[in-house]
């Protein structure tokens, strides 16, 4: 069977994630220090794991409703009301999904038809463009740059928009740059969305991981709730990547449409993870804040480390990534990442894995121990020193 002739062209056309490729090479080497994966090095706090154990003991092993446990949806609605002063109806406007990954895919599939355009500011999380391409729609990149603190501007959006643009997909705090979006800037984006009648998909999975800054939820901006789908989840803030639990918040019609796809594909998110997520939201804030404080120390170490070795480095204000410029070395992002891995056994991700405007940068995750980060910085400095003379 010639499988490649049978596989959907939309699937053949999307590249495999540029993040994983490196880790396949790194996995075959000894003594590698990896700053590659965007995953907390903490284990999920015990009280959250324990709630799942008790859930199992009490026999909670069945499907939940398609939309997810009502108790969890109510906790999420409560969280958004108290934190951002935005009201969601737990019964109609909240959908529990298998990670934010599933929620994004559902929203894109529910909204886009072949030939539609979606504006996607770059650099951005690797799955956005591929999810759009998979439905036969066109991702339209909107570049941001370090010179402008990786801020998305209305000028750049105006240059990129087309008559077929249906939605704008933003993610902040940003993976890979660590940029956040201040409220004043978001207001301008909101005006743009309104003027062009766009739907906004707002991936706020790193909302709790901000440093010296408050997160503004996009749907809390005046007039934005009706045209926004907000995404969040438990993977990052509560160190729960493996539990696979996320959610989407939006108008009843879009949540109903997404639920239709979800019921035929996933049926529901795992009940065990939903029970744990209730506990995380009810009682997890203290432990979460402790982890955020630790990330903040690591963030400072990394900014100082890169600057001290002579690389220009934007100070990230959120998430747990740093995105230094490697332009002064004269290498491309891919050359830098490959040579660093072979010469010094440090695994990082080339910036252009996150879009063309990531060229000239590399992404390092600092969700690793201080010892690991120090070792990586020493090795990177050893690698770049001869090139910066
Ligand atoms: N959105 C962003 C910006 C991410 O960085 C990630 C994971 O790295 C995801 C979504 C996916 O998260 P989840 O584990 O909830 O599927």
């Amino acid at each position: 069977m010639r499988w490649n002739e049978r596989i959907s062209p939309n699937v053949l056309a999307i590249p495999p994630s540029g993040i994983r490729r490196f880790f396949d090479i790194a996995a075959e080497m000894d003594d590698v220090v990896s700053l590659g994966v965007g995953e907390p090095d903490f284990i999920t706090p015990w009280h959250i794991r324990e709630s799942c154990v008790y859930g199992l003991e009490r026999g909670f092993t069945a499907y939940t409703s398609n939309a997810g446990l009502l108790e969890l949806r109510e906790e999420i609605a409560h969280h958004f009301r108290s934190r951002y002063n935005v009201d969601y109806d737990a019964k109609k406007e909240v959908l529990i999904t298998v990670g934010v990954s599933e929620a994004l895919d559902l929203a894109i599939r529910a909204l886009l038809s072949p030939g539609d355009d979606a504006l996607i500011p770059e650099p951005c999380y690797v799955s956005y463009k591929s999810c759009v391409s998979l439905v036969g729609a066109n991702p339209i990149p909107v570049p941001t740059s370090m010179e402008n603190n990786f801020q998305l501007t209305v000028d750049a959006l105006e240059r990129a928009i087309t008559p077929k643009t249906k939605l704008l997909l933003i993610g902040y705090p940003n993976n890979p740059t660590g940029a956040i979006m201040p409220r004043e800037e978001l207001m301008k984006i909101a005006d743009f969305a309104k003027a062009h009648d766009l739907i906004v998909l707002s991936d706020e999975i790193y909302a709790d991981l901000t440093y010296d800054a408050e997160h503004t939820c996009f749907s809390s901006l005046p007039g934005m709730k009706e045209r926004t789908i907000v995404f969040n989840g438990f993977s990052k803030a509560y160190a729960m990547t493996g539990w696979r639990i996320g959610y989407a918040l939006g108008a009843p019609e879009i949540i109903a449409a997404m639920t239709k796809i979800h019921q035929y594909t996933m049926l529901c998110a795992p009940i065990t993870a939903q029970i744990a997520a209730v506990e995380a939201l009810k009682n997890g804030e203290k432990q979460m804040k402790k982890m955020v404080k630790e990330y903040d120390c690591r963030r400072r170490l990394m900014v100082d480390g890169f600057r001290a070795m002579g690389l220009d480095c934007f100070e990230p204000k959120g998430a747990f990534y740093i995105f230094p410029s490697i332009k002064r070395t004269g290498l491309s992002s891919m050359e830098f990442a490959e040579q660093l891995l072979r010469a010094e056994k440090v695994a990082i991700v080339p910036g252009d894995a996150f879009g063309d405007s990531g060229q000239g940068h590399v992404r390092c995750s600092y969700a690793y121990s201080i010892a690991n980060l120090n070792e990586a910085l020493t090795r990177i400095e050893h690698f770049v020193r001869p090139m910066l003379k």
Side-chain angles (χ1 to χ4, degrees):
M1 173 74 71
R2 288 141 86 114
W3 277 102
N4 278 348
E5 289 169 14
R6 308 291 181 98
I7 293 169
S8 151
N10 283 351
V11 176
L12 286 176
I14 58 170
S17 160
I19 301 182
R20 287 285 150 195
R21 202 178 88 79
F22 266 83
F23 298 99
D24 295 344
I25 306 176
E28 288 171 8
M29 297 168 80
D30 291 330
D31 187 32
V32 171
V33 182
S34 173
L35 304 187
V37 183
E39 169 155 65
D41 61 326
F42 299 106
I43 295 173
T44 309
W46 169 243
H47 70 101
I48 298 175
R49 285 181 279 152
E50 191 180 37
S51 70
C52 170
V53 173
Y54 284 141
L56 286 170
E57 201 168 79
R58 283 167 25 233
F60 290 115
T61 57
Y63 295 133
T64 67
S65 73
N66 296 133
L69 289 175
L70 184 58
E71 190 186 358
L72 177 55
R73 285 181 280 145
E74 280 170 345
E75 275 307 322
I76 291 167
H78 171 71
H79 175 71
F80 274 73
R81 207 170 299 126
S82 56
R83 171 104 186 255
Y84 303 117
N85 198 23
V86 49
D87 257 309
Y88 284 101
D89 178 342
K91 293 208 169 103
K92 293 190 193 137
E93 297 181 312
V94 185
L95 172 63
I96 310 298
T97 55
V98 179
V100 169
S101 304
E102 191 216 351
L104 281 165
D105 182 48
L106 293 177
I108 287 167
R109 282 203 273 166
L111 288 167
L112 293 180
S113 304
D116 285 342
D117 292 341
L119 294 176
I120 305 188
E122 282 186 357
C124 67
Y125 179 51
V126 290
S127 80
Y128 300 164
K129 282 193 287 181
S130 294
C131 285
V132 168
S133 300
L134 276 173
V135 297
N138 310 308
I140 309 284
V142 186
T144 66
S145 67
M146 193 170 88
E147 291 65 43
N148 193 24
N149 295 331
F150 295 109
Q151 284 302 301
L152 174 61
T153 64
V154 169
D155 270 359
L157 287 166
E158 291 285 5
R159 276 196 296 275
I161 194 162
T162 67
K164 288 188 291 175
T165 301
K166 208 162 170 187
L167 61 84
L168 164 65
L169 202 178
I170 52 178
Y172 64 98
N174 181 274
N175 172 7
T177 66
I180 56 165
M181 304 258 284
R183 193 181 161 84
E184 319 80 76
E185 296 304 315
L186 287 171
M187 292 287 277
K188 296 179 198 159
I189 310 295
D191 288 343
F192 170 85
K194 210 165 161 191
H196 294 276
D197 196 18
L198 298 181
I199 291 163
V200 179
L201 307 194
S202 188
D203 178 356
E204 302 181 21
I205 191 169
Y206 296 102
D208 287 313
L209 304 183
T210 56
Y211 315 101
D212 313 328
E214 276 287 304
H215 179 80
T216 302
C217 173
F218 200 82
S219 62
S220 71
L221 299 172
M224 284 302 112
K225 188 190 160 203
E226 62 166 7
R227 63 173 66 248
T228 304
I229 310 175
V230 175
F231 303 86
N232 205 331
F234 295 83
S235 289
K236 313 291 177 172
Y238 296 96
M240 291 177 69
T241 46
W243 297 77
R244 309 308 304 125
I245 198 95
Y247 54 90
L249 307 170
E253 297 89 334
I254 182 63
I255 292 297
M258 289 165 63
T259 307
K260 262 204 278 187
I261 311 175
H262 173 76
Q263 80 189 4
Y264 291 126
T265 51
M266 296 297 156
L267 213 154
C268 66
I271 188 168
T272 42
Q274 294 191 52
I275 291 169
V278 170
E279 173 63 20
L281 270 185
K282 273 190 170 153
N283 300 310
E285 192 169 345
K286 196 166 144 211
Q287 295 266 31
M288 185 253 284
K289 292 241 157 97
K290 254 170 92 175
M291 291 189 269
V292 175
K293 218 167 152 191
E294 182 60 35
Y295 293 135
D296 194 13
C297 294
R298 300 170 185 190
R299 175 180 76 105
R300 289 170 201 279
L301 175 80
M302 295 304 277
V303 176
D304 294 347
F306 279 118
R307 288 184 177 163
M309 67 178 87
L311 294 180
D312 295 328
C313 188
F314 165 74
E315 182 183 331
K317 296 281 186 191
F320 39 53
Y321 308 102
I322 187 157
F323 203 58
S325 165
I326 46 93
K327 287 180 187 152
R328 288 192 55 216
T329 65
L331 299 176
S332 71
S333 299
M334 185 60 88
E335 287 164 345
F336 187 97
E338 265 179 11
Q339 291 180 25
L340 177 67
L341 181 58
R342 302 219 185 270
E344 296 289 339
K345 299 190 177 175
V346 179
I348 55 172
V349 185
D352 55 343
F354 306 94
D356 289 345
S357 51
Q359 184 55 263
H361 295 262
V362 291
R363 188 194 78 171
C364 305
S365 162
Y366 53 85
Y368 291 92
S369 69
I370 294 274
N372 245 291
L373 297 177
N374 274 322
E375 179 61 27
L377 285 172
T378 306
R379 293 186 190 193
I380 296 172
E381 189 185 4
H382 191 243
F383 175 70
V384 298
R385 201 184 310 133
M387 290 182 251
L388 299 183
K389 274 186 182 151

